[in-house]
Every structure is written in structure tokens, then in C-alpha cells.
Amino acid sequence: MLLFTPGPTPVPEAVRMAMAGPTIHHRTPEFEAIFKEARERLMRLFGMDECVMLASSGTGAMEACVTNLCVKKALTINAGKFGERFGKIVQAFGLEHVELKYAWDTPASVEDVKAALAEHPDIDAFCIQVSESAGGLRHPVEEIAAAIKAINPDIMVIADGITAVGVEPIDTTHIDALIAGSQKALMLPPGMAMIGLSNRAVEKIGDGRGYYFNLTSEIKKQRQNTTAYTAPTTLIIGLNKMLELIEAEGYDKFYSDTKARALATRAALEAIGCQLYPKTPALSMSAVYDEEANALRSILKTEFGVNIAGGQDHLKGKLFRINQMGLIPVYESAWVVNAIEWAYDKLGRRPYDGTASKVFNEVYYANEQQ
Ligand SMILES: *Cc1c(COP(=O)(O)O)cnc(C)c1O
């Protein structure tokens, strides 16, 4: 079965092999050497001043950013399940909260953010997804971050890049915390989250807050190539291998391959009449609005060996989402759009004529040759 859900994503064989060794103790020079390499590679991936690895799923890193970087009032963007989650975290910690709510296909606007800041001058943190996975939406994060910093550089910009870091280059000039998760674009098993931090963020964290997710304790330890508590050693070994694989070919190639696959998939889907859901699609996944999404996904699974994701909440049964994150062999992506075209035929929507494959190949190779 081809795993084509936007997280978890398949783990490449070389990475699985690297993680198959005996468990090593985390307080040893042997592990510290691996940690150091992984940390240096992670710094290059984020392109930021500092980074930490946390033994938690991505939500733990969202919580750590909120508790360590927001003291007074947070402005959160809710254009889907993950943006809504930032709001719930803020409320769980009793912090003041302003939420800008959008339909799941609609990106946040710079003007709305500026207006909210003008109305609430005590906002000291801003939380947003780079790619909101609920609807496969790309927010204009870099533009909003620049506008926020022009108004007040002390406002901490927290960007959830769980389906964006490792998908496309992100301009972090105005971002203070950028979150990544192991099981999405980084193609590792679930269980680890990573945060890239600016020097401004490290300063604001100060003595840190909380206990397990106290980023000051973690930064202090991780600068010494160890972790405050038991490290997820196997995942860090896997991360080191994964980033080594990506670096061997170079980030430019990694990003351009992902983009070429995403654009080719988008074009192929449109060519067979699919209705792309988000107004500003992310490169991490292709989301299609389809009233027959459940029937389609079931045909893909049982007849074509392809597992894609559906929608959540009000879009349950009305959306399907195809992953684009990771080192995906292009022939697998080509098979997925071909299978969708066949499923449309079986649902009586459109007779199969090979259009999806043809358009996918044309667009993919046009982009690859640039
Ligand atoms: C998957 C995901 C998360 C984190 O989810 P976990 O289940 O906690 O790993 C957060 N934000 C986005 C945008 C995601 O796609």
C-alpha cells in the first residue's frame, strides 16, 4: 500500500536501517557525537540562530512555543484544525486571546492582522500555520511576519511549519519560532518535534516557563549536545541520517523535486475535473473538494493500493488530501493521479483516457528541466 497521507509519511529504507541498531545510552560520548551532527544539520535546515529537539509530537512544540514566548496576550489564526489548536493551547494556560477566524480555504490577511494589533496593543505573540494541513492551505506567513515586526519587533512570531519545513524554503527573517515535526516532511516515525528559534526568542524566553517544556533548560543542555531529559535517541539517529540523505543531494534539489511533484499533481487533478479546495494551495499536499471523497478513497485503497487522507470536522467525507512531502519517487505520485482518474471512471464521473498521467508527466518534466 502506498502511504500518501500528509503525515505520517513513509520512512526511507536507509533511515529505517540507521534506526535498527541497538539502543545506545543517551548520556554517552557516542550519542553526543550523533546529537551534535543532527543539531548542526537541523540548524542548516531551519536557517535560524538556535534550535531544540523535543520528545513529543508536534503539538508539544506548539505548546512549548506558546508557554515560553507568550506572556500576556496571543493573536492566533484559525483557518483549520491546527490553527484552532493554538487557540485551545493559549486558553488552556489562561492567557488572554484574540482569534482571527477564516474559512478553511481562505488564507489570513495582513490587513486583518494589522487591525487586530491596532485594537489590542498588548498582544505579545502571534501564532499561525505556514501550511494549515486541515485544508492544504498556505498562509502568507512571511508577509504577515514582516508587517508585525514593522509595527512592534517585540511581538513573537510563532510559525507552525510542521507541514512546511522540509517542503519549501521559508524566509525566517521575521520569524521567532519555527516548528517542525518528525512524521511529516522529515519522513521519520512520529514522536519528535523540533523548533528553530531566533536570538530575540531566546532572549524573551529568559528563565523559561513550565517544567518539561521549559525551553531554557533545553537550550542550555542542547548547546552541550545532550537533552534535559531522556532523549528520543532512535529518532535523533534517524533524523541525522535523514538530513544527511537530503544534504547529499542538496536542499535546492529536495525543494524543487517536491515543488515539481506538487505542481504536476495539481495540474493532473484539474485536468480531470477535480476542484482544488484551498484558495492558496500549499506545496505540502493537494487538497480536493469532493462530495464522493469517501467512496473515492475506498476505491483507491482496495483496487489501487493507495492510501490518501480525507477531511476533518465539517469537511469529513468532502475532501481528499494527497501528500507531497518527503523524498517521494516520482512514479509513485504519477500512479496516484492515475488511480484517481480510474476511480472517477468507476464512480461514473468521467471515462478513463489517461489524461491525469499525461498531464502529470508533461508538467513534472517541464518543471524539472527549468
Ligand atoms: C500534524 C500537524 C501538527 C501536529 O500534530 P501532532 O499530531 O501533535 O504531531 C501541527 N500542525 C500541523 C499543521 C500539522 O499538520
Side-chain angles (χ1 to χ4, degrees):
M1 182 79 74
L2 292 181
L3 180 60
F4 259 81
T5 56
T9 52
V11 183
E13 188 178 5
V15 176
R16 278 184 275 130
M17 295 301 282
M19 296 189 298
T23 298
I24 53 177
H25 196 281
H26 58 290
R27 309 276 183 219
T28 54
E30 187 191 2
F31 179 68
E32 283 165 18
I34 297 169
F35 188 95
K36 182 170 188 280
E37 252 181 45
R39 179 173 151 84
E40 286 166 0
R41 291 197 163 112
L42 205 50
M43 292 283 225
R44 290 196 282 274
L45 169 69
F46 280 123
M48 295 181 78
D49 304 316
E50 187 53 80
C51 75
V52 287
M53 296 173 236
L54 300 172
S56 82
S57 84
T59 306
M62 293 168 73
E63 179 168 321
C65 287
V66 168
T67 54
N68 285 268
L69 291 171
C70 178
V71 178
K72 183 109 190 62
K73 188 185 273 188
L75 173 60
T76 66
I77 298 297
N78 173 359
K81 268 221 121 29
F82 297 100
E84 178 188 52
R85 187 170 300 175
F86 264 134
K88 287 183 174 172
I89 294 169
V90 166
Q91 283 167 344
F93 286 93
L95 295 160
E96 289 180 60
H97 180 213
V98 180
E99 179 181 83
L100 291 176
K101 203 167 175 179
Y102 296 89
W104 287 18
D105 64 350
T106 305
S109 91
V110 179
E111 292 316 311
D112 293 347
V113 171
K114 280 187 181 169
L117 294 183
E119 200 183 325
H120 303 271
D122 52 345
I123 285 171
D124 67 343
F126 170 74
C127 306
I128 191 170
Q129 274 55 46
V130 181
S131 147
E132 167 56 82
S133 314
L137 178 73
R138 176 65 156 88
H139 282 300
V141 173
E142 294 91 337
E143 199 190 330
I144 295 175
I148 292 173
K149 292 295 180 181
I151 294 168
N152 179 358
D154 293 334
I155 297 174
M156 290 288 117
V157 174
I158 301 168
D160 166 359
I162 292 176
T163 51
V165 176
V167 171
E168 53 174 318
I170 298 165
D171 178 1
T172 54
T173 313
H174 302 291
I175 294 176
D176 295 296
L178 182 60
I179 304 168
S182 59
Q183 81 277 25
K184 307 275 173 88
L186 298 176
M187 295 163 278
L188 294 164
M192 186 163 70
M194 292 134 277
I195 312 173
L197 294 161
S198 69
N199 282 332
R200 286 180 306 250
V202 175
E203 259 172 54
K204 169 134 184 203
I205 294 166
D207 293 334
R209 275 167 288 278
Y211 188 79
Y212 185 70
F213 287 132
N214 182 314
L215 292 182
T216 299
S217 327
E218 282 303 339
I219 292 168
K220 189 170 160 228
K221 287 290 181 184
Q222 298 197 18
R223 282 178 176 165
Q224 299 157 19
N225 299 315
T226 186
T227 46
Y229 313 105
T230 306
T233 47
T234 308
L235 286 169
I236 291 173
I237 291 167
L239 175 70
N240 193 33
K241 185 70 193 177
M242 190 67 246
L243 297 180
E244 183 194 320
L245 290 184
I246 299 172
E247 286 183 349
E249 295 235 11
Y251 276 105
D252 287 348
K253 168 123 177 68
F254 183 46
Y255 293 141
S256 67
D257 282 356
T258 303
K259 187 172 182 182
R261 272 196 324 275
L263 296 182
T265 300
R266 221 181 268 170
L269 293 171
E270 282 186 307
I272 57 168
C274 291
Q275 186 190 336
L276 296 181
Y277 177 69
K279 289 180 187 148
T280 50
L283 293 171
S284 54
M285 68 196 74
S286 313
V288 173
Y289 185 84
D290 194 315
E291 301 273 345
E292 289 187 295
N294 281 349
L296 177 118
R297 286 175 60 222
S298 142
I299 294 172
L300 289 188
K301 246 189 204 158
T302 53
E303 299 186 40
F304 296 93
V306 175
N307 183 4
I308 61 171
Q312 299 157 295
D313 292 0
H314 63 286
L315 291 176
K316 213 173 166 66
K318 296 190 174 148
L319 198 73
F320 64 82
R321 294 175 298 148
I322 305 166
N323 177 51
Q324 304 296 346
M325 297 176 278
L327 294 163
I328 302 174
V330 63
Y331 49 84
E332 291 187 359
S333 297
W335 174 250
V336 172
V337 293
N338 181 61
I340 289 170
E341 185 179 348
W342 267 121
Y344 268 26
D345 179 303
K346 287 167 190 281
L347 289 166
R349 301 253 292 262
R350 182 188 180 282
Y352 180 86
D353 63 6
T355 295
S357 279
K358 179 171 180 290
V359 171
F360 181 95
N361 278 279
E362 284 167 357
V363 175
Y364 181 80
Y365 288 104
N367 273 298
E368 274 290 283
Q369 273 149 25
Q370 269 169 22

Short mmCIF file of all heavy atoms in Angstrom, two decimals, residues 226-272:
data_model
loop_
_atom_site.label_atom_id
_atom_site.label_comp_id
_atom_site.label_asym_id
_atom_site.label_seq_id
_atom_site.Cartn_x
_atom_site.Cartn_y
_atom_site.Cartn_z
N THR A 226 23.32 17.48 24.49
CA THR A 226 22.53 16.49 25.22
C THR A 226 21.14 17.10 25.45
O THR A 226 20.88 18.20 24.97
CB THR A 226 23.25 16.07 26.53
OG1 THR A 226 22.51 15.02 27.13
CG2 THR A 226 23.39 17.24 27.50
N THR A 227 20.26 16.39 26.11
CA THR A 227 18.91 16.91 26.34
C THR A 227 18.64 16.97 27.84
O THR A 227 19.32 16.29 28.62
CB THR A 227 17.85 15.99 25.69
OG1 THR A 227 18.16 14.64 26.02
CG2 THR A 227 17.85 16.12 24.18
N ALA A 228 17.66 17.78 28.24
CA ALA A 228 17.38 17.91 29.67
C ALA A 228 16.89 16.58 30.25
O ALA A 228 17.25 16.19 31.35
CB ALA A 228 16.35 19.02 29.90
N TYR A 229 16.04 15.87 29.49
CA TYR A 229 15.50 14.58 29.96
C TYR A 229 15.92 13.52 28.96
O TYR A 229 16.63 13.83 28.00
CB TYR A 229 13.99 14.71 30.15
CG TYR A 229 13.68 15.97 30.92
CD1 TYR A 229 13.16 17.10 30.29
CD2 TYR A 229 14.06 16.07 32.27
CE1 TYR A 229 12.99 18.29 30.99
CE2 TYR A 229 13.89 17.25 32.97
CZ TYR A 229 13.36 18.37 32.32
OH TYR A 229 13.22 19.54 33.00
N THR A 230 15.50 12.30 29.11
CA THR A 230 15.96 11.24 28.20
C THR A 230 15.64 11.60 26.74
O THR A 230 14.49 11.91 26.42
CB THR A 230 15.30 9.89 28.56
OG1 THR A 230 15.55 9.64 29.94
CG2 THR A 230 15.87 8.76 27.72
N ALA A 231 16.66 11.55 25.92
CA ALA A 231 16.48 11.93 24.51
C ALA A 231 15.80 10.80 23.74
O ALA A 231 16.02 9.63 24.06
CB ALA A 231 17.84 12.23 23.89
N PRO A 232 15.00 11.14 22.72
CA PRO A 232 14.46 10.09 21.83
C PRO A 232 15.60 9.65 20.89
O PRO A 232 15.66 10.06 19.73
CB PRO A 232 13.34 10.81 21.08
CG PRO A 232 13.70 12.26 21.11
CD PRO A 232 14.56 12.49 22.32
N THR A 233 16.50 8.85 21.43
CA THR A 233 17.76 8.53 20.73
C THR A 233 17.53 7.96 19.33
O THR A 233 18.19 8.38 18.38
CB THR A 233 18.60 7.52 21.56
OG1 THR A 233 17.73 6.46 21.98
CG2 THR A 233 19.20 8.17 22.79
N THR A 234 16.61 7.01 19.22
CA THR A 234 16.38 6.37 17.92
C THR A 234 15.93 7.38 16.87
O THR A 234 16.40 7.37 15.73
CB THR A 234 15.31 5.27 18.07
OG1 THR A 234 15.71 4.42 19.15
CG2 THR A 234 15.17 4.45 16.82
N LEU A 235 15.04 8.28 17.28
CA LEU A 235 14.54 9.29 16.33
C LEU A 235 15.63 10.29 15.95
O LEU A 235 15.68 10.77 14.82
CB LEU A 235 13.33 10.01 16.92
CG LEU A 235 12.04 9.18 16.94
CD1 LEU A 235 10.97 9.87 17.77
CD2 LEU A 235 11.53 8.95 15.52
N ILE A 236 16.50 10.60 16.90
CA ILE A 236 17.58 11.55 16.59
C ILE A 236 18.60 10.90 15.64
O ILE A 236 19.09 11.53 14.71
CB ILE A 236 18.23 12.08 17.90
CG1 ILE A 236 17.20 12.97 18.62
CG2 ILE A 236 19.51 12.86 17.60
CD1 ILE A 236 17.61 13.43 20.01
N ILE A 237 18.85 9.62 15.84
CA ILE A 237 19.71 8.88 14.91
C ILE A 237 19.07 8.90 13.51
O ILE A 237 19.73 9.15 12.50
CB ILE A 237 19.94 7.43 15.42
CG1 ILE A 237 20.81 7.45 16.67
CG2 ILE A 237 20.56 6.55 14.31
CD1 ILE A 237 20.86 6.14 17.45
N GLY A 238 17.75 8.68 13.48
CA GLY A 238 17.02 8.70 12.20
C GLY A 238 17.06 10.08 11.57
O GLY A 238 17.27 10.22 10.36
N LEU A 239 16.86 11.12 12.38
CA LEU A 239 16.89 12.49 11.86
C LEU A 239 18.25 12.80 11.24
O LEU A 239 18.35 13.39 10.16
CB LEU A 239 16.59 13.49 12.99
CG LEU A 239 16.71 14.97 12.61
CD1 LEU A 239 15.59 15.39 11.67
CD2 LEU A 239 16.70 15.86 13.86
N ASN A 240 19.30 12.40 11.96
CA ASN A 240 20.65 12.66 11.45
C ASN A 240 20.86 12.01 10.09
O ASN A 240 21.39 12.62 9.16
CB ASN A 240 21.68 12.15 12.47
CG ASN A 240 23.07 12.66 12.17
OD1 ASN A 240 23.23 13.77 11.67
ND2 ASN A 240 24.07 11.84 12.43
N LYS A 241 20.39 10.78 9.97
CA LYS A 241 20.52 10.06 8.69
C LYS A 241 19.67 10.74 7.60
O LYS A 241 20.13 10.93 6.47
CB LYS A 241 20.07 8.60 8.89
CG LYS A 241 20.27 7.74 7.69
CD LYS A 241 21.77 7.49 7.48
CE LYS A 241 22.06 6.89 6.12
NZ LYS A 241 23.50 6.72 5.91
N MET A 242 18.45 11.09 7.98
CA MET A 242 17.53 11.71 7.03
C MET A 242 18.12 12.99 6.46
O MET A 242 18.15 13.20 5.24
CB MET A 242 16.21 12.02 7.77
CG MET A 242 15.09 12.44 6.89
SD MET A 242 14.56 11.11 5.85
CE MET A 242 15.04 11.79 4.29
N LEU A 243 18.63 13.85 7.36
CA LEU A 243 19.18 15.13 6.90
C LEU A 243 20.46 14.90 6.10
O LEU A 243 20.76 15.65 5.17
CB LEU A 243 19.40 16.08 8.09
CG LEU A 243 18.11 16.48 8.84
CD1 LEU A 243 18.44 17.42 10.00
CD2 LEU A 243 17.09 17.15 7.92
N GLU A 244 21.21 13.85 6.45
CA GLU A 244 22.41 13.51 5.68
C GLU A 244 22.00 13.15 4.24
O GLU A 244 22.63 13.60 3.28
CB GLU A 244 23.12 12.32 6.34
CG GLU A 244 24.43 11.94 5.67
CD GLU A 244 24.92 10.56 6.14
OE1 GLU A 244 24.82 10.24 7.34
OE2 GLU A 244 25.41 9.80 5.27
N LEU A 245 20.94 12.36 4.11
CA LEU A 245 20.46 11.98 2.77
C LEU A 245 20.04 13.20 1.97
O LEU A 245 20.36 13.33 0.79
CB LEU A 245 19.22 11.05 2.87
CG LEU A 245 19.38 9.63 3.38
CD1 LEU A 245 18.05 8.90 3.29
CD2 LEU A 245 20.44 8.89 2.57
N ILE A 246 19.30 14.10 2.62
CA ILE A 246 18.82 15.30 1.91
C ILE A 246 20.01 16.18 1.52
O ILE A 246 20.10 16.68 0.40
CB ILE A 246 17.82 16.10 2.78
CG1 ILE A 246 16.59 15.24 3.11
CG2 ILE A 246 17.38 17.37 2.06
CD1 ILE A 246 15.63 15.88 4.12
N GLU A 247 20.96 16.34 2.46
CA GLU A 247 22.11 17.21 2.18
C GLU A 247 22.99 16.66 1.06
O GLU A 247 23.62 17.41 0.32
CB GLU A 247 22.94 17.43 3.45
CG GLU A 247 22.26 18.39 4.43
CD GLU A 247 23.11 18.69 5.67
OE1 GLU A 247 24.13 18.00 5.90
OE2 GLU A 247 22.73 19.62 6.42
N ALA A 248 23.01 15.33 0.94
CA ALA A 248 23.84 14.72 -0.10
C ALA A 248 23.40 15.19 -1.49
O ALA A 248 24.23 15.42 -2.36
CB ALA A 248 23.77 13.20 0.00
N GLU A 249 22.11 15.37 -1.67
CA GLU A 249 21.61 15.85 -2.96
C GLU A 249 21.45 17.37 -2.96
O GLU A 249 21.32 17.98 -4.02
CB GLU A 249 20.26 15.21 -3.28
CG GLU A 249 20.37 13.71 -3.48
CD GLU A 249 19.80 13.27 -4.81
OE1 GLU A 249 19.50 14.15 -5.64
OE2 GLU A 249 19.64 12.06 -4.99
N GLY A 250 21.36 17.94 -1.78
CA GLY A 250 21.21 19.39 -1.65
C GLY A 250 19.77 19.80 -1.44
O GLY A 250 18.85 19.18 -1.99
N TYR A 251 19.58 20.85 -0.64
CA TYR A 251 18.22 21.32 -0.36
C TYR A 251 17.53 21.85 -1.61
O TYR A 251 16.32 21.71 -1.77
CB TYR A 251 18.22 22.38 0.75
CG TYR A 251 18.20 21.72 2.11
CD1 TYR A 251 19.35 21.67 2.90
CD2 TYR A 251 17.04 21.11 2.58
CE1 TYR A 251 19.34 21.02 4.13
CE2 TYR A 251 17.03 20.46 3.80
CZ TYR A 251 18.18 20.42 4.57
OH TYR A 251 18.16 19.78 5.77
N ASP A 252 18.32 22.47 -2.52
CA ASP A 252 17.69 23.02 -3.73
C ASP A 252 16.96 21.92 -4.49
O ASP A 252 15.82 22.09 -4.93
CB ASP A 252 18.74 23.67 -4.65
CG ASP A 252 19.23 24.98 -4.07
OD1 ASP A 252 18.61 25.48 -3.11
OD2 ASP A 252 20.25 25.50 -4.57
N LYS A 253 17.62 20.78 -4.63
CA LYS A 253 17.03 19.67 -5.38
C LYS A 253 15.82 19.10 -4.64
O LYS A 253 14.78 18.81 -5.23
CB LYS A 253 18.10 18.59 -5.61
CG LYS A 253 17.56 17.27 -6.12
CD LYS A 253 18.21 16.87 -7.44
CE LYS A 253 17.76 15.53 -7.96
NZ LYS A 253 16.36 15.49 -8.39
N PHE A 254 15.97 18.95 -3.33
CA PHE A 254 14.89 18.42 -2.49
C PHE A 254 13.63 19.29 -2.65
O PHE A 254 12.53 18.78 -2.91
CB PHE A 254 15.38 18.41 -1.04
CG PHE A 254 14.43 17.83 -0.03
CD1 PHE A 254 13.78 16.63 -0.26
CD2 PHE A 254 14.22 18.48 1.18
CE1 PHE A 254 12.92 16.09 0.70
CE2 PHE A 254 13.37 17.94 2.14
CZ PHE A 254 12.72 16.76 1.90
N TYR A 255 13.81 20.60 -2.53
CA TYR A 255 12.67 21.51 -2.64
C TYR A 255 12.11 21.55 -4.06
O TYR A 255 10.90 21.60 -4.26
CB TYR A 255 13.06 22.93 -2.20
CG TYR A 255 13.40 23.05 -0.73
CD1 TYR A 255 14.45 23.86 -0.29
CD2 TYR A 255 12.66 22.37 0.24
CE1 TYR A 255 14.75 24.00 1.06
CE2 TYR A 255 12.97 22.50 1.59
CZ TYR A 255 14.01 23.31 1.99
OH TYR A 255 14.32 23.44 3.32
N SER A 256 13.00 21.55 -5.06
CA SER A 256 12.48 21.67 -6.42
C SER A 256 11.77 20.39 -6.85
O SER A 256 10.78 20.44 -7.58
CB SER A 256 13.58 22.09 -7.42
OG SER A 256 14.51 21.06 -7.54
N ASP A 257 12.23 19.23 -6.38
CA ASP A 257 11.52 17.98 -6.69
C ASP A 257 10.12 18.00 -6.07
O ASP A 257 9.14 17.60 -6.71
CB ASP A 257 12.28 16.77 -6.11
CG ASP A 257 13.48 16.38 -6.97
OD1 ASP A 257 13.67 17.00 -8.04
OD2 ASP A 257 14.23 15.47 -6.56
N THR A 258 10.04 18.44 -4.81
CA THR A 258 8.74 18.50 -4.13
C THR A 258 7.80 19.42 -4.89
O THR A 258 6.64 19.10 -5.13
CB THR A 258 8.91 19.00 -2.68
OG1 THR A 258 9.83 18.13 -2.01
CG2 THR A 258 7.60 19.02 -1.92
N LYS A 259 8.32 20.58 -5.27
CA LYS A 259 7.50 21.57 -5.98
C LYS A 259 7.03 21.00 -7.32
O LYS A 259 5.85 21.12 -7.67
CB LYS A 259 8.31 22.84 -6.19
CG LYS A 259 7.49 23.96 -6.76
CD LYS A 259 8.28 25.26 -6.76
CE LYS A 259 7.42 26.38 -7.30
NZ LYS A 259 8.15 27.65 -7.37
N ALA A 260 7.94 20.36 -8.04
CA ALA A 260 7.58 19.80 -9.36
C ALA A 260 6.48 18.75 -9.21
O ALA A 260 5.52 18.72 -9.98
CB ALA A 260 8.81 19.21 -10.03
N ARG A 261 6.60 17.89 -8.19
CA ARG A 261 5.55 16.87 -7.96
C ARG A 261 4.22 17.51 -7.59
O ARG A 261 3.16 17.11 -8.06
CB ARG A 261 5.98 15.93 -6.82
CG ARG A 261 6.81 14.76 -7.21
CD ARG A 261 6.85 13.72 -6.09
NE ARG A 261 6.87 14.29 -4.77
CZ ARG A 261 7.96 14.69 -4.12
NH1 ARG A 261 9.15 14.55 -4.68
NH2 ARG A 261 7.88 15.20 -2.92
N ALA A 262 4.30 18.53 -6.71
CA ALA A 262 3.07 19.18 -6.25
C ALA A 262 2.36 19.89 -7.42
O ALA A 262 1.14 19.77 -7.58
CB ALA A 262 3.37 20.18 -5.13
N LEU A 263 3.14 20.59 -8.25
CA LEU A 263 2.53 21.31 -9.37
C LEU A 263 1.99 20.34 -10.41
O LEU A 263 0.92 20.57 -10.99
CB LEU A 263 3.55 22.28 -10.00
CG LEU A 263 4.04 23.42 -9.10
CD1 LEU A 263 5.00 24.33 -9.86
CD2 LEU A 263 2.88 24.24 -8.52
N ALA A 264 2.70 19.25 -10.64
CA ALA A 264 2.25 18.25 -11.62
C ALA A 264 0.97 17.58 -11.13
O ALA A 264 0.03 17.36 -11.90
CB ALA A 264 3.34 17.22 -11.87
N THR A 265 0.91 17.27 -9.83
CA THR A 265 -0.28 16.64 -9.27
C THR A 265 -1.48 17.59 -9.40
O THR A 265 -2.56 17.19 -9.83
CB THR A 265 -0.06 16.28 -7.78
OG1 THR A 265 1.04 15.37 -7.71
CG2 THR A 265 -1.29 15.64 -7.15
N ARG A 266 -1.25 18.85 -9.04
CA ARG A 266 -2.31 19.86 -9.11
C ARG A 266 -2.86 19.94 -10.55
O ARG A 266 -4.08 19.91 -10.75
CB ARG A 266 -1.70 21.21 -8.73
CG ARG A 266 -2.55 22.06 -7.85
CD ARG A 266 -1.85 23.37 -7.56
NE ARG A 266 -1.04 23.36 -6.35
CZ ARG A 266 -0.19 24.33 -6.00
NH1 ARG A 266 -0.01 25.38 -6.78
NH2 ARG A 266 0.48 24.25 -4.87
N ALA A 267 -1.95 20.03 -11.52
CA ALA A 267 -2.37 20.17 -12.92
C ALA A 267 -3.13 18.92 -13.38
O ALA A 267 -4.16 19.03 -14.06
CB ALA A 267 -1.16 20.42 -13.81
N ALA A 268 -2.65 17.75 -12.99
CA ALA A 268 -3.29 16.50 -13.39
C ALA A 268 -4.70 16.42 -12.80
O ALA A 268 -5.66 16.04 -13.48
CB ALA A 268 -2.46 15.31 -12.93
N LEU A 269 -4.85 16.81 -11.54
CA LEU A 269 -6.15 16.76 -10.89
C LEU A 269 -7.12 17.73 -11.56
O LEU A 269 -8.28 17.39 -11.84
CB LEU A 269 -6.02 17.10 -9.40
CG LEU A 269 -5.23 16.09 -8.54
CD1 LEU A 269 -4.97 16.65 -7.15
CD2 LEU A 269 -5.97 14.75 -8.44
N GLU A 270 -6.63 18.92 -11.84
CA GLU A 270 -7.50 19.91 -12.51
C GLU A 270 -7.92 19.43 -13.89
O GLU A 270 -9.06 19.62 -14.30
CB GLU A 270 -6.79 21.26 -12.60
CG GLU A 270 -6.82 21.99 -11.26
CD GLU A 270 -6.26 23.41 -11.34
OE1 GLU A 270 -5.13 23.57 -11.84
OE2 GLU A 270 -6.96 24.34 -10.88
N ALA A 271 -6.99 18.75 -14.57
CA ALA A 271 -7.28 18.29 -15.94
C ALA A 271 -8.40 17.24 -15.97
O ALA A 271 -9.09 17.10 -16.96
CB ALA A 271 -6.01 17.72 -16.58
N ILE A 272 -8.57 16.50 -14.86
CA ILE A 272 -9.66 15.52 -14.85
C ILE A 272 -10.89 16.06 -14.11
O ILE A 272 -11.80 15.31 -13.76
CB ILE A 272 -9.23 14.15 -14.29
CG1 ILE A 272 -8.66 14.28 -12.87
CG2 ILE A 272 -8.22 13.48 -15.23
CD1 ILE A 272 -8.50 12.94 -12.15
#
